[in-house]
Amino acid sequence: QAFLMEMMDINESLMELEFDPSPEKKIALHQELENLSTELKMSVLPIMERWDDDEPVDLQPVVDYDMKKRYIRRLLSNLEKLGS
């Protein structure tokens, strides 16, 4: 739920950039998305590192990470399409 709220804020910032382009805001938003992506990766890295085919592990956090990562990639793509 916190992720969705954060994405709503980022989407709002993206829409603001569409109507009021600002290179500084675009760079800041890009960095925010990159930081979020790194934080997400770091949160699942321990699970991925200890994952072993012989031992059952709850991979739901990795599935969640994948969905969030794809969402962030889509936002980054939309950000890059903006002409500022």
Side-chain angles (χ1 to χ4, degrees), residues 11-75:
N11 272 315
E12 185 176 320
S13 296
L14 194 56
M15 287 191 321
E16 288 174 10
L17 271 174
E18 286 182 71
F19 295 108
D20 187 18
S22 165
E24 295 83 16
K25 288 181 182 178
K26 183 177 179 181
I27 290 168
L29 187 55
H30 187 275
Q31 189 60 52
E32 183 179 352
L33 287 166
E34 289 292 339
N35 290 345
L36 183 57
S37 180
T38 300
E39 288 173 22
L40 286 171
K41 183 176 182 179
M42 297 307 291
S43 72
V44 295
L45 198 55
I47 296 168
M48 293 189 293
E49 287 177 343
R50 74 171 188 263
W51 179 56
D52 184 351
D53 288 334
D54 298 331
E55 190 176 317
V57 176
D58 179 19
L59 295 177
Q60 188 60 48
V62 178
V63 172
D64 294 342
Y65 161 76
D66 183 60
M67 288 189 298
K68 291 174 182 178
K69 178 70 176 179
R70 282 191 267 156
Y71 193 89
I72 290 171
R73 273 194 216 132
R74 193 173 329 118
L75 289 173

